[in-house]
Amino acid sequence: MKSVTFEDSLFEECYFEDITSSNTFFKNCTFISTVFYNTDLFEYKFINSRVLNSTFLHNKEGCQLDFSDDNNAYMIYFVSFLGTLAVLPGNIVSALLMDKIGRLRMLGG
């Protein structure tokens, strides 16, 4: 779930499993007999919400990827570009070697 805001909603006997949310919040919601299994829905995402007889099992821990900022998408492409640029010298050297000694000898070596 990305950038979803639930307001004044009732969740009764629901089962949330393997949920990864980015910039998702529950405002003034009520959860009754709901199970949260392997989710990253933590307390700060429930704003003025009531959780009654609900269970949180195996919450995701650690740093979860969060693409809520536009700058993160830029950084992903920039790092990918730098990785491609880093292998360019090796590609040039291998192309020159292949031209010099031949494909079969290079493959055999």
Side-chain angles (χ1 to χ4, degrees):
M1 294 189 294
K2 182 175 180 179
S3 298
V4 179
T5 302
F6 295 95
E7 293 185 12
D8 302 320
S9 301
L10 172 66
F11 297 92
E12 189 171 355
E13 294 183 14
C14 295
Y15 187 77
F16 292 92
E17 182 177 6
D18 295 327
I19 300 291
T20 302
S21 61
S22 173
N23 204 20
T24 297
F25 296 99
F26 298 91
K27 295 180 180 178
N28 302 322
C29 295
T30 304
F31 297 88
I32 302 172
S33 300
T34 301
V35 176
F36 298 91
Y37 181 81
N38 194 27
T39 65
D40 68 347
L41 299 174
F42 299 110
E43 287 184 31
Y44 73 92
K45 295 191 178 198
F46 300 99
I47 301 168
N48 295 329
S49 296
R50 297 184 324 155
V51 180
L52 305 171
N53 198 21
S54 297
T55 307
F56 290 85
L57 301 170
H58 304 286
N59 283 349
K60 294 182 180 181
E61 296 180 3
C63 181
Q64 304 294 323
L65 287 177
D66 187 7
F67 296 105
S68 60
D69 296 334
D70 291 335
N71 294 336
N72 286 341
Y74 166 76
M75 286 304 294
I76 289 172
Y77 289 114
F78 183 69
V79 168
S80 177
F81 171 72
L82 288 179
T84 304
L85 199 61
V87 298
L88 186 62
N91 288 342
I92 292 172
V93 169
S94 66
L96 292 174
L97 275 175
M98 189 178 299
D99 192 37
K100 183 93 173 166
I101 63 174
R103 284 182 278 159
L104 292 178
R105 287 187 185 163
M106 184 117 172
L107 185 61

